[in-house]
Amino acid sequence: MADRQLNVLSTLDHAKTQWYHFTAIVIAGMGFFTDAYDLFCISLVTKLLGRIYYTDVSKPDPGTLPPSVLAAVNGVALCGTLAGQLFFGWLGDKLGRKSVYGFTLVLMVLCSVASGLSFGRTPKGVVATLCFFRFWLGFGIGGDYPLSATIMSEYANKRTRGAFIAAVFAMQGFGILFGAIVALAVSAGFRHAYPAPPYAQGRAASLAPQADYVWRIILMFGTLPAALTYYWRMKMPETARYTALVARNAKQAAADMSRVLNTEIEEESSGAEKAAVVLAGDEWGLFSSEFVRRHGLHLVATTSTWFLLDIAFYSQNLFQKDIFSKVGWIPAARTMSAIEEVFRISRAQALIALCGTIPGYWFTVAFIDVVGRFWIQITGFAMMTAFMLGLAVPYHHWTTPGHHAGFVVMYGFTFFFANFGPNSTTFIVPAEIYPARLRSTCHGISAAAGKAGAIVGAFGFLYAAQDPNKPEAGYPRGIGIRNALFVLAGTNLLGTVMTLLVPESKGKSLEVVSQEVADDEEAA
């Protein structure tokens, strides 16, 4: 453990908030905006895909994706994201944050376009092509998690670091909302241009041939924000902490930060290089006993809480359209045309994003450096548990006519406290508590644990929520939505318990939190 901090790092910790901080938030945040759009826009079009490729007009209801196909379409991007988080997290520590940052964005742009251009002679061919490109899209998205969090944490000052990282992550809320708005606009335009009767009134006519363009346009639209930020990502200098502590070039780190901070930072070459070596410690690695002693419980905390959070969070996001249909907020599919159904689903998701998701993110931005990471996370998990139980216990009450609005309000509060709670803090804390040479790797591992939870939620909820008496065609009997909500409440409660292992990093230097220097007084 070192007894002093490099001058350039101390300057960063105490720097006033200035323009370059906001530039970094926008550059990193637009990646997350695109990530959220690409991950969650698929839930807006899965019903439409079922109608286009699996409708049998001899049946009284329009077609839906078979269980295995629906699970693959929803889950394949999450599998790619998990792999990308592990790979790019490791690569970010080996090659540098900036070196890898642009590649993930290019991969996202190319695969987003390719997803919308998925063609095939048969429905199976189209879906297989779509799943292939969405896996690699997820792979690129996965890289954005550890890299964006690490870059922002290493750029920020210690006083407002939590708010800056939270602001990057909060762009996810705008990405979800933007996806719903794009789907609303596209479906509204096609609905006006190609009017069609409900399925019950004209089975073949309810599916306009032009509907095949709707889902493709929605999927491809996510390329725009990502492409617009590529140039600015390439202009960002490498973070000072990577340059000084991992690449061992403190003089270059001082030069880079002098340029972005518009102030002169002097670092004595010989003394700085020696200090950088001391800060780097004994070069113990991820699988060493020293790491287990210092950060073993931290890794258990960040992986377990993110895993438990994403089981509930992705279950809610990916299948909220099915829940809204079950409680009657979205009409039965047979009473709508294919494009009308997309319009109704996107309108419902836009309302939830606007009223519950986005405010939660920005409450975190406002209060995280006041209240602290620990209390926001434990309160968020506890409130999610309470509202899930509030939905599950009187579930039959919420499903009766006249009470649907109450259900939506309660459901919106679960999103609010997910985002003003563990969905934000599980992203922030791993970017702060690990040493510089392992920071991106450990964040990637924590994020990958979260995506493992998301995969459990995406695949598990799909089957678990089936009615135990009348499951949908092709599905086995499940435990029903009510009992599934009880299970999600249980995962949130367990997340509350595991949060007790999470350290508080509010107002501390990254080197102090990661135990690379003794304390703030010595670091100064």
Side-chain angles (χ1 to χ4, degrees):
M1 185 179 292
D3 61 355
R4 65 177 289 264
Q5 190 182 36
L6 292 174
N7 188 37
V8 62
L9 306 187
S10 180
T11 303
L12 273 174
D13 276 343
H14 296 89
K16 293 181 179 179
T17 300
Q18 49 193 277
W19 183 248
Y20 97 94
H21 287 113
F22 297 107
T23 303
I25 289 170
V26 171
I27 294 170
M30 288 309 292
F32 263 89
F33 180 98
T34 308
D35 296 348
Y37 182 100
D38 288 332
L39 281 178
F40 294 113
C41 69
I42 194 66
S43 66
L44 299 166
V45 300
T46 49
K47 295 264 189 186
L48 180 60
L49 289 171
R51 286 202 186 223
I52 293 172
Y53 297 110
Y54 292 92
T55 290
D56 182 350
V57 293
S58 65
K59 295 183 178 178
D61 291 303
T64 58
L65 293 177
S68 58
V69 175
L70 180 59
V73 168
N74 277 317
V76 69
L78 300 177
C79 296
T81 304
L82 187 155
Q85 286 164 336
L86 293 173
F87 177 73
F88 287 114
W90 168 79
L91 206 61
D93 283 333
K94 293 297 179 185
L95 302 182
R97 292 42 162 146
K98 180 188 173 181
S99 302
V100 188
Y101 209 28
F103 179 73
T104 61
L105 204 63
V106 171
L107 189 60
M108 287 158 57
V109 169
L110 293 178
C111 292
S112 185
V113 173
S115 296
L117 297 177
S118 300
F119 293 100
R121 294 178 179 272
T122 63
K124 185 180 288 186
V126 174
V127 171
T129 308
L130 175 62
C131 287
F132 174 81
F133 287 118
R134 280 193 63 79
F135 175 86
W136 291 107
L137 172 66
F139 193 72
I141 289 171
D144 232 34
Y145 276 74
L147 294 172
S148 290
T150 301
I151 285 172
M152 198 65 246
S153 72
E154 293 181 346
Y155 265 128
N157 59 59
K158 64 181 182 180
R159 183 176 56 84
T160 56
R161 185 178 61 238
F164 289 162
I165 305 173
V168 169
F169 195 61
M171 295 300 288
Q172 191 177 73
F174 288 117
I176 294 171
L177 177 63
F178 184 66
I181 291 172
V182 168
L184 264 175
V186 172
S187 59
F190 273 79
R191 185 180 64 166
H192 177 74
Y194 308 103
Y199 184 83
Q201 296 178 16
R203 296 181 181 182
S206 71
L207 180 63
Q210 295 80 8
D212 193 52
Y213 295 112
V214 172
W215 69 270
R216 298 179 187 277
I217 293 171
I218 292 171
L219 293 188
M220 288 193 289
F221 216 90
T223 60
L224 292 179
L228 291 173
T229 56
Y230 179 78
Y231 170 75
W232 297 106
R233 279 199 180 190
M234 292 300 93
K235 286 193 68 177
M236 292 178 74
E238 182 57 86
T239 69
R241 284 181 161 88
Y242 182 86
T243 304
L245 302 181
V246 184
R248 306 291 180 79
N249 191 343
K251 198 169 184 180
Q252 182 62 51
D256 289 341
M257 292 305 103
S258 295
R259 199 162 54 250
V260 298
L261 288 172
N262 293 317
T263 186
E264 189 65 32
I265 303 174
E266 293 186 5
E267 199 75 77
E268 296 180 11
S269 181
S270 59
E273 302 303 333
K274 184 178 179 182
V277 172
V278 173
L279 252 93
D282 301 324
E283 290 301 326
W284 40 266
L286 180 66
F287 300 104
S288 66
S289 59
E290 185 67 14
F291 177 86
V292 173
R293 185 181 70 81
R294 294 192 185 197
H295 298 291
L297 282 179
H298 295 164
L299 193 60
V300 170
T302 57
T303 52
S304 62
T305 52
W306 208 336
F307 173 82
L308 293 165
L309 175 274
D310 273 5
I311 291 176
F313 186 73
Y314 278 82
S315 296
Q316 290 173 262
N317 267 293
L318 290 174
F319 299 107
Q320 60 179 278
K321 62 186 183 302
D322 303 298
I323 293 173
F324 290 154
S325 297
K326 291 281 174 60
V327 300
W329 201 41
I330 296 176
R334 72 175 76 90
T335 66
M336 299 178 284
S337 68
I339 297 176
E340 172 73 17
E341 188 172 31
V342 176
F343 180 84
R344 296 289 190 101
I345 291 169
S346 54
R347 185 176 64 181
Q349 296 203 179
L351 184 62
I352 288 293
L354 196 60
C355 298
T357 304
I358 291 175
Y361 282 117
W362 290 98
F363 264 68
T364 300
V365 174
F367 292 107
I368 191 162
D369 287 313
V370 178
V371 179
R373 288 73 163 145
F374 175 83
W375 286 110
I376 286 180
Q377 181 163 314
I378 202 165
T379 303
F381 265 129
M383 295 304 291
M384 287 174 70
T385 304
F387 280 107
M388 282 290 186
L389 291 173
L391 290 171
V393 174
Y395 180 74
H396 298 298
H397 167 78
W398 298 122
T399 57
T400 56
H403 299 113
H404 298 156
F407 181 93
V408 173
V409 170
M410 294 279 285
Y411 197 67
F413 271 116
T414 65
F415 278 102
F416 176 83
F417 282 106
N419 296 314
F420 182 40
N423 192 40
S424 296
T425 53
T426 52
F427 176 79
I428 295 166
V429 172
E432 298 181 312
I433 64 175
Y434 298 108
R437 68 182 181 281
L438 297 173
R439 185 169 292 132
S440 180
T441 300
C442 290
H443 193 285
I445 292 170
S446 303
K451 282 301 166 287
I455 292 167
V456 171
F459 287 89
F461 192 85
L462 179 66
Y463 290 91
Q466 293 299 314
D467 191 294
N469 300 314
K470 291 183 178 180
E472 294 178 21
Y475 289 90
R477 297 175 188 272
I479 60 176
I481 288 182
R482 182 173 186 261
N483 288 327
L485 291 172
F486 275 120
V487 172
L488 295 182
T491 63
N492 292 327
L493 182 61
L494 188 55
T496 308
V497 175
M498 296 306 296
T499 298
L500 298 174
L501 298 176
V502 174
E504 180 57 73
S505 50
K506 181 185 75 165
K508 298 177 182 178
S509 167
L510 291 178
E511 286 68 52
V512 172
V513 178
S514 62
Q515 303 174 36
E516 291 176 287
V517 295
D519 55 41
D520 278 330
E521 286 73 30
E522 289 180 280

